[in-house]
Amino acid sequence: MRKQQLFAYVLVALISQSYTVSVTGGQTLKGTCLDNEYWNNKGFCCDKCHPGYKLKEKCPEPNKRSECVKCENGTFIENSNHNDNCFSCRKCNRANSVEKSPCTFRSDRVCGCKSGYYYKKLGDTGWECSRCKECGSGQMIAAQCDGQQNTKCQCKENHYAVNKNLCKPCVECQDECPDLCKSSTPPNPLKSAKPTSPPGSIPHILVPVCACITVLALGVFMLYEGIRLWKKKRHASSSQKSSPASEDQTLIITVSPDTEHNESVPFTNQQTEQNGKLPDCVPREVKIHEFFYFVLDEVPIGRFKELVRRLGVSEQNIDRAERDHRNSKDAHYQMLKVWSDSGSGGGNNVLPWHRIQMFVDTLKEMYLVNCADNIESKFLSQDPSTSN
């Protein structure tokens, strides 16, 4: 019995919290008004005004209508209401703004923006027309600028973003360019278990190809050098074989001025054989090509241009020799030829003794003493100045 009384008390308390009893003569409960009604403080429900109308007088008693009036020009109310005033319509007076739809007593004026601008909200009530964004270099339009949405840009294909307004083309494998990291050859299913090479590594096929090209180039270079050295030795040996006979026929002796006839008298082969050797007063004349090839092997390549400059060869002739001959020894031979042609005496293809002595003295001035001594011992061993 006690439990039933407690349950009754709780039920009465819940009902009393949900409803209030009207203090007027009627017994209408607060909270029982319909959606198109509102609670009047006099203790009954009144009807609401329709959209576009405002409340002028509340209903005087239950089942009586409220008095409503239409909103004035420039004002509106969108929903059913019991407001005393209407809302003012907004004005499209912002820069670059236009009117999309006019103000009516049931709806507010709708504002928009000119072409090239979009509607941007500023807080709860503020707004402005902002210029549409233009996509930068390497970008394309992902979404057009329209209404309240600005232009959306994205990188073109095979490009990556540098900043918001710039995309650059992919040129190598990197995180932003994964397409360049893919192998151009289809994977072999038999080798799929093996680890793949890291992105950007050189394909394995290039290694043997580069090695073959290097070996082939080295072989061609060695073959070229071998042929060149063989031709040089053959030319030198042929010149050495022909030089003794020609030297015997071109030996000259100069008669002193107090003799009756001032002329040169050639020695014959018979006189040379009788004497056994040349007299000390007769200088030895050397074939030009024999001297040149010996000098080319003796003088360091790095000092050669300095040597010919000291010998009087002009820079113009040095440059011409280097342009005409890719091989350095051929160019140096041409420089020596220019030097020998600028001298006098000796005859055709013959270098006189005093020119060789000048050559040796120049080498000594350059501190190339070993080169000078080797040339002097080979070509100036019968120096007339050393005779008794």
Side-chain angles (χ1 to χ4, degrees), residues 67-211:
E67 184 179 357
C68 300
V69 294
K70 185 179 178 180
C71 292
E72 298 86 356
N73 290 336
T75 62
F76 73 100
I77 293 182
E78 292 181 338
N79 302 315
S80 298
N81 67 94
H82 54 94
N83 295 340
D84 295 333
N85 296 302
C86 299
F87 300 104
S88 297
C89 293
R90 72 172 64 182
K91 297 180 180 180
C92 301
N93 56 357
R94 306 296 172 89
N96 301 305
S97 63
V98 293
E99 183 182 276
K100 294 292 184 179
S101 61
C103 172
T104 67
F105 67 100
R106 287 191 179 95
S107 62
D108 193 6
R109 179 182 287 108
V110 178
C111 299
C113 297
K114 296 179 180 179
S115 177
Y117 295 83
Y118 73 98
Y119 187 94
K120 182 179 180 181
K121 288 186 176 181
L122 301 176
D124 295 334
T125 58
W127 62 279
E128 67 178 4
C129 288
S130 295
R131 184 180 294 275
C132 294
K133 173 185 176 182
E134 295 183 359
C135 294
S137 176
Q139 294 182 333
M140 63 180 183
I141 297 176
Q144 294 288 348
C145 179
D146 187 26
Q148 298 185 19
Q149 176 177 277
N150 195 2
T151 306
K152 292 184 179 180
C153 303
Q154 66 182 23
C155 291
K156 296 179 180 179
E157 187 177 0
N158 294 327
H159 286 64
Y160 66 95
V162 177
N163 52 47
K164 293 182 179 180
N165 299 317
L166 176 61
C167 293
K168 289 188 177 181
C170 295
V171 295
E172 61 182 7
C173 174
Q174 57 188 30
D175 294 339
E176 297 84 357
C177 302
D179 292 341
L180 298 184
C181 302
K182 297 178 181 179
S183 174
S184 58
T185 58
N188 189 345
L190 299 178
K191 298 181 179 180
S192 59
K194 295 183 179 180
T196 58
S197 58
S201 62
I202 300 176
H204 298 296
I205 190 65
L206 292 182
V207 176
V209 170
C210 294

Side-chain angles (χ1 to χ4, degrees), residues 121-294:
K121 288 186 176 181
L122 301 176
D124 295 334
T125 58
W127 62 279
E128 67 178 4
C129 288
S130 295
R131 184 180 294 275
C132 294
K133 173 185 176 182
E134 295 183 359
C135 294
S137 176
Q139 294 182 333
M140 63 180 183
I141 297 176
Q144 294 288 348
C145 179
D146 187 26
Q148 298 185 19
Q149 176 177 277
N150 195 2
T151 306
K152 292 184 179 180
C153 303
Q154 66 182 23
C155 291
K156 296 179 180 179
E157 187 177 0
N158 294 327
H159 286 64
Y160 66 95
V162 177
N163 52 47
K164 293 182 179 180
N165 299 317
L166 176 61
C167 293
K168 289 188 177 181
C170 295
V171 295
E172 61 182 7
C173 174
Q174 57 188 30
D175 294 339
E176 297 84 357
C177 302
D179 292 341
L180 298 184
C181 302
K182 297 178 181 179
S183 174
S184 58
T185 58
N188 189 345
L190 299 178
K191 298 181 179 180
S192 59
K194 295 183 179 180
T196 58
S197 58
S201 62
I202 300 176
H204 298 296
I205 190 65
L206 292 182
V207 176
V209 170
C210 294
C212 292
I213 294 175
T214 303
V215 172
L216 182 61
L218 183 60
V220 172
F221 175 76
M222 294 178 65
L223 180 62
Y224 168 77
E225 286 295 321
I227 294 174
R228 188 181 65 81
L229 293 175
W230 174 75
K231 287 182 178 181
K232 178 181 175 182
K233 290 182 180 179
R234 188 179 67 172
H235 191 276
S237 61
S238 62
S239 63
Q240 290 178 357
K241 291 180 180 179
S242 60
S243 60
S246 61
E247 287 176 358
D248 292 342
Q249 295 175 359
T250 57
L251 292 176
I252 300 174
I253 184 169
T254 303
V255 183
S256 59
D258 57 351
T259 58
E260 295 179 355
H261 303 284
N262 187 13
E263 60 182 359
S264 299
V265 182
F267 276 88
T268 63
N269 293 339
Q270 182 179 1
Q271 290 174 328
T272 304
E273 292 176 358
Q274 291 175 355
N275 295 335
K277 65 178 181 178
L278 294 175
D280 293 339
C281 62
V282 180
R284 179 174 178 253
E285 293 175 334
V286 180
K287 291 291 185 180
I288 289 178
H289 63 80
E290 179 184 355
F291 178 77
F292 284 179
Y293 282 121
F294 187 84

